[in-house]
């Protein structure tokens, strides 16, 4: 397994789908700030009072911190009274809170329903002393920090039990009257501090969302940037540039599609360039093959015109050469037209079912006569049942065989008598026709190309005269239109073998 496939098989955050990333980002943008805020609040509740020393009263003089100290102590007393502890336990705990207050000559009076629950020595007249400082309504809470002293009235409730808390300190001092603060001012102070807390919370939210969005955006933008860079490279013509990003999500699929598109585009361009190159070779080849007979026609025609052929024998020889050159030109043009029709899918075949052995046996007699006229030996052998049927366009397939035999004649060795062998063998699903010769053959490098249009193993075209170089290309396309295949085997200077495989039809009954 390739490395990229292994990476795709692993579970990775890179494989998360884009919509999953967005949902996850949204959830984290809410959850993470909440976690931070809860942690911050915990620290604020448990650490800040001790850090600012507001958990207990430390002075009998008014200041903002002192007011917070009184508020914190009163809150602790109220919480204890509202709890589920026994009265004895409550009294023990309250003693810890009120002792620092009493050290500053504060009177603490706590009434449970209509009975005294706790009272500092001499605090039975606490309400009277409070009223002397400021009018008191025992049904309303009161926080008075004034020039005549301090009065706090508060309430607590535990089930059906009601507690009244009264604190009076006649020695409490306010050094600067402008520092005096009432309930409204205290509320403003709390609101101002709440505003700071809210601002901190908002900042935490913003920072958390920005960080999470940055991380998520990076995982989305990075592959998109790579895709963009890949598109730019392709626009510059660099079709070898591959985008390196492995994932199974939408972006990974997009990258895979992009890379596949690049490969297909590269293959298409290479194929187009190859076709263009073949076209150039074809045009050059046709020009060469037409120029030779036309030059011959022109030369001999001028010889006739100028009276060079001054005897009947010369004139006949000149005319014969002219006719042969015209026939060669006509054959080249005919082959070129056939190739064009085949490439444009305008070459229609007229199929008929024929007996394979009978068809090739009848054709072998014509082949024998043609080869004997060229001083060639001909050997044929048919290892095929009489009932084997193939579907052929007989005229077109005769042309295939003729082209192959013509090549064997043209590429014969000068010092060896030519020989052509034709064998027909039957197999389970097909028949294979083999046509071999003892000519000059083809080297290994050139062998795979002999079915290409206009290809010749002799690029200079010096070994063989005549022919368009289209014969085997036409053979290949006609055989493939029959649903068959064609290939070659050769050893240089030992001859060439052409093999044609055709599918069998059902046996005749």
């Amino acid at each position: 397994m390739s490395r990229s496939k292994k990476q795709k098989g692993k579970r990775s955050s890179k494989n998360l789908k884009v919509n999953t990333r967005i949902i996850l980002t949204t959830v984290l943008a809410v959850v993470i700030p909440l976690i931070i805020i809860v942690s911050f609040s915990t620290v604020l509740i448990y650490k800040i009072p001790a850090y600012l020393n507001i958990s207990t009263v430390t002075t009998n003089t008014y200041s903002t911190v002192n007011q917070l100290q009184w508020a914190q102590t009163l809150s602790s007393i109220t919480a204890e009274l509202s709890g589920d502890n026994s009265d004895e336990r409550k009294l023990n705990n309250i003693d810890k809170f009120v002792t620092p207050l009493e050290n500053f000559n504060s009177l603490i009076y706590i009434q449970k329903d209509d009975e005294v629950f706790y009272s500092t020595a001499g605090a039975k007249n606490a309400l009277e002393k409070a009223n002397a400082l400021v009018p008191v309504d025992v049904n309303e809470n009161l926080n008075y920090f004034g020039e005549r002293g301090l009065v706090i009235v508060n309430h607590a409730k535990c089930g059906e039990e009601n507690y009244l808390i009264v604190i009076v300190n006649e020695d409490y001092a306010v050094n600067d009257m402008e520092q005096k603060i009432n309930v409204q001012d205290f509320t403003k102070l709390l609101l101002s501090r709440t505003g700071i807390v809210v601002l901190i919370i908002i900042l935490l939210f913003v920072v958390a969302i920005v960080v999470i969005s940055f991380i998520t955006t990076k995982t989305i933008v990075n592959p998109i940037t790579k895709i963009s860079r890949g598109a730019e490279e392709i626009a510059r013509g660099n079709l070898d540039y591959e985008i390196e990003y492995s994932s199974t999500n939408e972006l990974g699929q997009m990258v895979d599609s992009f890379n596949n598109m690049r490969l297909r585009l590269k293959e298409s361009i290479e194929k187009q360039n190859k076709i263009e190159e073949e076209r150039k070779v074809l045009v050059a080849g046709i020009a060469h093959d037409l120029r030779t007979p036309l030059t011959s026609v022109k030369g001999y025609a001028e010889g006739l015109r100028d009276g060079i052929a001054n005897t009947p024998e010369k004139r006949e020889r000149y005319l014969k050469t002219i006719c042969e050159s015209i026939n060669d030109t006509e054959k080249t043009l005919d082959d070129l037209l056939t190739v064009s029709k085949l490439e444009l899918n305008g070459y229609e075949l007229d199929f008929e079912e024929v007996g394979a052995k009978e068809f090739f046996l009848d054709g072998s007699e014509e082949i024998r006569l043609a080869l004997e006229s060229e001083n060639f030996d001909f050997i044929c052998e048919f290892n095929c049942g009489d009932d084997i049927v193939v579907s052929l366009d007989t005229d077109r397939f005769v042309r295939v065989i003729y082209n192959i035999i013509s090549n064997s004649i043209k590429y014969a060795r000068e010092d060896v008598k030519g020989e052509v062998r034709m064998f027909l063998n039957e197999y389970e699903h097909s028949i294979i026709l083999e046509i071999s010769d003892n000519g000059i053959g083809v080297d290994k490098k050139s062998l795979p190309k002999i079915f290409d249009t206009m290809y010749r193993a002799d690029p200079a075209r010096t070994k063989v005269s005549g022919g368009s170089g289209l014969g085997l290309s036409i053979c290949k396309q006609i055989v493939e239109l029959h649903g068959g295949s064609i290939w070659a085997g050769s050893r240089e200077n030992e001859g060439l073998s052409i093999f044609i495989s055709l599918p069998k039809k059902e046996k005749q009954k």
Side-chain angles (χ1 to χ4, degrees):
M1 184 183 290
S2 67
R3 183 184 175 188
S4 62
K5 290 183 177 179
K6 286 183 179 179
Q7 289 176 342
K8 287 186 179 181
K10 294 180 180 178
R11 293 186 177 181
S12 172
S13 59
K14 291 176 65 177
N15 296 330
L16 290 176
K17 294 183 177 180
V18 174
N19 60 340
T20 304
R21 291 173 187 267
I22 295 173
I23 293 172
L24 186 59
T25 300
T26 304
V27 173
L28 291 177
V30 174
V31 172
I32 291 179
L34 287 177
I35 294 174
I36 295 173
I37 290 168
V38 170
S39 302
F40 174 76
S41 300
T42 303
V43 173
L44 188 67
I45 292 171
Y46 290 99
K47 298 296 182 180
I48 296 302
Y51 178 76
L52 296 178
N53 196 21
I54 62 174
S55 58
T56 185
V57 176
T58 59
T59 179
N60 207 27
T61 302
Y62 175 80
S63 68
T64 301
V65 173
N66 179 255
Q67 187 174 13
L68 291 174
Q69 292 173 343
W70 276 101
Q72 180 66 31
T73 302
L74 181 63
S75 175
S76 300
I77 295 172
T78 303
E80 182 62 33
L81 294 174
S82 301
D84 296 330
N85 292 330
S86 64
D87 288 351
E88 183 179 358
R89 183 69 178 273
K90 288 180 179 180
L91 288 170
N92 289 334
N93 290 335
I94 287 174
D95 187 62
K96 299 176 184 178
F97 300 131
V98 300
T99 297
L101 305 180
E102 293 173 340
N103 291 336
F104 291 103
N105 299 322
S106 298
L107 300 179
I108 314 298
Y109 175 79
I110 301 175
Q111 181 179 297
K112 177 182 178 182
D113 292 331
D114 295 329
E115 297 180 358
V116 176
F117 183 76
Y118 178 89
S119 177
T120 303
K124 292 182 179 181
N125 57 348
L127 282 173
E128 295 177 5
K129 291 183 178 183
N131 273 304
L133 296 176
V134 64
V136 175
D137 183 353
V138 294
N139 296 316
E140 299 292 335
N141 290 340
L142 174 66
N143 290 284
Y144 175 78
F145 299 82
E147 57 186 2
R148 292 179 293 173
L150 175 148
V151 176
I152 295 176
V153 178
N154 212 319
H155 299 79
K157 186 177 180 67
C158 179
E160 296 181 355
E161 299 173 343
N162 295 303
Y163 293 89
L164 172 64
I165 306 167
V166 179
I167 302 175
V168 180
N169 190 319
E170 296 174 322
D171 296 332
Y172 192 79
V174 177
N175 294 330
D176 187 355
M177 290 300 295
E178 293 182 358
Q179 292 182 351
K180 181 178 177 180
I181 185 166
N182 56 25
V183 175
Q184 185 177 3
D185 295 331
F186 188 68
T187 303
K188 290 181 179 179
L189 176 64
L190 291 179
L191 288 176
S192 65
R193 294 182 181 276
T194 303
I196 295 174
V197 173
V198 171
L199 180 61
I200 293 174
I201 292 173
I202 292 173
L203 289 175
L204 289 174
F205 264 103
V206 171
V207 171
I209 291 173
V210 168
V211 171
I212 295 171
S213 298
F214 174 78
I215 295 172
T216 305
T217 302
K218 188 176 180 181
T219 63
I220 297 175
V221 170
N222 279 356
I224 294 177
T225 302
K226 290 183 178 181
I227 294 173
S228 176
R229 189 179 300 115
E232 291 176 358
E233 290 294 330
I234 288 181
R236 295 191 187 102
N238 182 11
L239 298 180
D240 294 320
Y241 185 87
E242 181 177 2
I243 301 174
E244 296 181 357
Y245 180 78
S246 177
S247 175
T248 58
N249 63 11
E250 298 93 336
L251 295 174
Q253 293 170 7
M254 182 187 297
V255 169
D256 289 341
S257 299
F258 196 92
N259 284 330
N260 290 334
M261 179 191 69
R262 175 187 62 82
L263 292 175
R264 288 195 297 271
L265 180 61
K266 182 180 179 181
E267 291 172 359
S268 176
I269 292 176
E270 289 176 348
K271 183 178 180 181
Q272 188 65 34
N273 290 339
K274 182 180 179 181
I275 292 173
E276 185 64 26
E277 189 65 27
E278 289 177 351
R279 292 292 181 194
K280 291 178 181 179
V281 173
L282 177 63
V283 171
I286 293 298
H288 180 280
D289 290 331
L290 289 178
R291 179 179 294 277
T292 301
L294 288 176
T295 300
S296 177
V297 169
K298 180 180 178 181
Y300 282 99
E302 290 175 348
L304 289 173
R305 182 194 65 187
D306 297 338
I308 297 176
N310 52 12
T311 65
E313 292 80 9
K314 279 188 177 182
R315 284 193 292 272
E316 182 178 356
R317 189 173 75 251
Y318 276 34
L319 289 172
K320 181 180 179 182
T321 303
I322 290 173
C323 289
E324 289 176 349
S325 297
I326 292 174
N327 288 336
D328 289 341
T329 302
E330 184 179 21
K331 184 179 182 305
T332 299
L333 293 174
D334 184 50
D335 287 345
L336 182 61
L337 180 61
T338 300
V339 169
S340 298
K341 287 183 176 180
L342 287 168
E343 291 182 349
L344 295 173
N345 297 322
Y347 200 78
E348 297 181 359
L349 300 182
D350 184 15
F351 289 102
E352 59 179 303
E353 293 186 357
V354 298
K357 186 174 183 179
E358 180 183 0
F359 173 76
F360 290 108
L361 186 60
D362 291 343
S364 66
E365 293 303 317
E366 296 182 14
I367 294 172
R368 186 186 304 276
L369 294 175
L371 288 172
E372 286 178 353
S373 67
E374 299 289 343
N375 196 28
F376 267 66
D377 291 335
F378 179 63
I379 301 171
C380 63
E381 183 178 329
F382 303 104
N383 302 312
C384 178
D386 296 334
D387 57 348
I388 300 303
V389 175
V390 290
S391 181
L392 296 176
D393 181 325
T394 54
D395 292 339
R396 302 291 189 268
F397 208 83
V398 166
R399 181 170 186 174
V400 170
I401 298 174
Y402 170 75
N403 285 349
I404 296 173
I405 297 297
S406 297
N407 273 355
S408 296
I409 295 172
K410 286 186 287 186
Y411 290 95
R413 286 181 286 174
E414 295 179 359
D415 55 343
V416 177
K417 184 178 181 181
E419 179 182 270
V420 172
R421 300 174 296 278
M422 186 165 70
F423 303 99
L424 180 66
N425 296 300
E426 175 188 354
Y427 295 89
E428 184 176 359
H429 300 292
S430 63
I431 59 170
I432 294 181
L433 176 68
E434 176 187 352
I435 301 176
S436 304
D437 60 49
N438 63 343
I440 61 175
V442 178
D443 61 85
K444 290 182 179 180
K445 181 180 179 181
S446 302
L447 189 62
K449 304 176 183 178
I450 63 173
F451 295 103
D452 293 346
T453 302
M454 290 303 301
Y455 182 80
R456 283 176 173 171
D458 174 25
R461 301 170 179 263
T462 57
K463 293 184 180 179
V464 182
S465 60
S468 62
L470 300 171
L472 290 181
S473 173
I474 293 173
C475 291
K476 179 177 184 294
Q477 296 185 67
I478 292 177
V479 168
E480 289 178 349
L481 286 174
H482 281 79
S485 56
I486 184 170
W487 66 96
S490 175
R491 291 184 179 180
E492 194 170 2
N493 294 322
E494 293 186 16
L496 178 70
S497 297
I498 302 294
F499 300 88
I500 298 174
S501 173
L502 294 171
K504 293 193 304 184
K505 305 293 287 187
E506 293 184 1
K507 292 186 178 182
Q508 296 176 335
K509 296 182 180 179

